[in-house]
């Protein structure tokens, strides 16, 4: 009897996971299908580029500035005596460009962009605005989800480039003004063992993170139920799932592409 209960429980859990995966797969299919109707999503795509990208610039810059300063301090004061100061520039560049820049930018924007995305679509769902679009034979996924996904895919890499540049500049200013590291040493470290693929690697991460944020958060808003309480629950769930997805994608990209960084 206990074995039968355990088997039924496992079957229920597996069935639930497959059902959830299938619903998200159909949602992804609808997003791709919406590309055939540019007149529906292109105007909203331009507006979402502003909401996701331009309006997020101050937050991304502030986070990157403090990130660069802290990384510089931590790197400088944990060096062994006798180590060349140019190593500081190398470690700062690798830490920011390859990992901290895209990862922290995505996690911070999940709270700002992702939560807003879920709340907007979820509110439209519970107030039956999405039902009205369907009644009018208007594709709600192409109008609501696709522009947000496309805007996130475009703007997250742009914000990551801006964040990386800001963090590297902030690290330089911190080292020169508050430590004994000279500008020449820092610049020498920045150029040491640099390859263009390191920038591509950072952009690939940002692209994947943008896809995760927009897909997860728009989906959770689209399936929101139970009024205002449901909107709050969907928003919290979307931020958690998107954050975990970002960390999982970060590990996957690192495992697949890290061996090629110095190639």
């Amino acid at each position: 009897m206990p074995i039968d209960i355990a088997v039924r429980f496992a079957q229920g859990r597996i069935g639930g996971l497959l059902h959830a995966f299938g619903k998200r797969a159909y949602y992804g299919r609808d997003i791709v299908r919406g590309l055939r109707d540019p007149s529906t999503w292109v105007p909203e795509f331009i507006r979402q580029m502003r909401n996701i990208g331009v309006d997020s610039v101050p937050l991304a810059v502030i986070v990157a500035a403090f990130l660069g300063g802290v990384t510089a301090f931590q790197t400088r004061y944990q060096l062994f005596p006798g180590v060349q100061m140019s190593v500081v520039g190398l470690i700062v560049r690798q830490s920011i460009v390859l990992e901290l820049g895209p990862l922290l930018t995505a996690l911070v924007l999940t709270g700002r962009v992702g939560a807003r995305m879920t709340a907007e679509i979820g509110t439209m769902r519970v107030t039956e605005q999405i039902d009205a679009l369907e009644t009018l034979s208007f594709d709600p996924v192409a109008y609501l989800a696709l522009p947000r996904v496309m805007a996130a895919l475009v703007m997250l890499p742009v914000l990551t480039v801006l964040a990386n540049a800001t963090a590297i500049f902030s690290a330089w200013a911190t080292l020169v003004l508050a430590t004994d590291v000279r500008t020449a040493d820092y610049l020498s470290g920045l150029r040491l063992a640099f390859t263009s693929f390191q920038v591509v690697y950072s952009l690939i991460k940002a692209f994947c993170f943008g896809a995760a944020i927009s897909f997860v958060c728009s989906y959770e808003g689209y399936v929101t139920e139970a009024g205002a309480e449901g909107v709050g629950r969907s928003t919290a769930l979307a931020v958690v799932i998107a954050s975990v997805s970002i960390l999982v994608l970060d590990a996957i990209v690192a495992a697949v592409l890290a061996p090629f960084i110095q190639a």
Side-chain angles (χ1 to χ4, degrees):
M1 184 65 67
I3 296 178
D4 293 339
I5 295 175
V7 170
R8 287 198 297 270
F9 176 78
Q11 290 176 342
R13 298 295 291 181
I14 294 174
L17 290 174
L18 292 176
H19 179 68
F21 178 80
K23 290 173 63 177
R24 286 163 175 80
Y26 277 117
Y27 183 73
R29 179 206 61 185
D30 293 340
I31 290 176
V32 174
R33 188 169 57 188
L35 290 170
R36 298 179 300 183
D37 187 12
S39 62
T40 300
W41 62 269
V42 169
E44 184 67 11
F45 165 65
I46 303 301
R47 191 175 73 87
Q48 291 302 324
M49 287 180 66
R50 176 186 177 90
N51 292 339
I52 294 175
V54 178
D55 293 348
S56 299
V57 167
L59 179 61
V61 168
I62 291 172
V63 171
F66 283 100
L67 169 64
V70 171
T71 304
F73 267 126
Q74 293 283 2
T75 303
R76 169 61 189 91
Y77 290 113
Q78 293 189 40
L79 291 179
F80 294 105
V83 176
Q84 292 184 356
M85 290 302 174
S86 60
V87 175
V88 175
L90 171 64
I91 296 175
V92 167
R93 187 201 71 210
Q94 297 292 78
S95 300
I96 291 173
V97 174
L98 299 182
E99 185 63 28
L100 297 178
L103 180 62
L104 291 185
T105 300
L107 289 175
V108 170
L109 292 183
T110 299
R112 182 197 176 277
V113 174
R116 175 178 177 174
M117 195 180 299
T118 305
E120 287 177 347
I121 299 177
T123 300
M124 294 184 68
R125 169 61 75 183
V126 300
T127 56
E128 299 182 352
Q129 296 180 53
I130 294 179
D131 297 333
L133 291 174
E134 294 173 343
T135 302
L136 296 172
S137 298
F138 205 78
D139 187 355
V141 175
Y143 180 70
L144 298 175
L146 178 56
R148 289 168 169 82
V149 172
M150 295 296 293
L153 293 178
V154 172
M155 298 310 298
L156 257 294
V158 174
L159 289 172
T160 297
V161 170
L162 177 62
N164 290 345
T166 302
I168 290 175
F169 177 81
S170 173
W172 166 78
T174 301
L175 290 170
V176 171
L177 297 176
T179 71
D180 57 346
V181 178
R182 299 178 303 169
T183 299
D185 293 330
Y186 181 72
L187 294 178
S188 176
L190 287 181
R191 292 190 292 264
L192 184 63
F194 175 76
T195 62
S196 59
F197 182 73
Q198 294 172 7
V199 177
V200 175
Y201 177 87
S202 182
L203 295 179
I204 290 173
K205 279 191 173 184
F207 183 87
C208 294
F209 297 161
I213 294 171
S214 57
F215 182 86
V216 170
C217 293
S218 64
Y219 173 80
E220 294 301 329
Y222 193 78
V223 298
T224 297
E225 298 176 349
E229 181 182 355
V231 173
R233 185 165 53 248
S234 295
T235 301
L237 181 62
V239 171
V240 171
I241 295 177
S243 299
V244 174
S245 300
I246 288 170
L247 297 175
V248 172
L249 287 172
D250 183 55
I252 293 174
V253 173
V256 174
L257 297 181
F260 303 98
I261 290 177
Q262 297 297 341

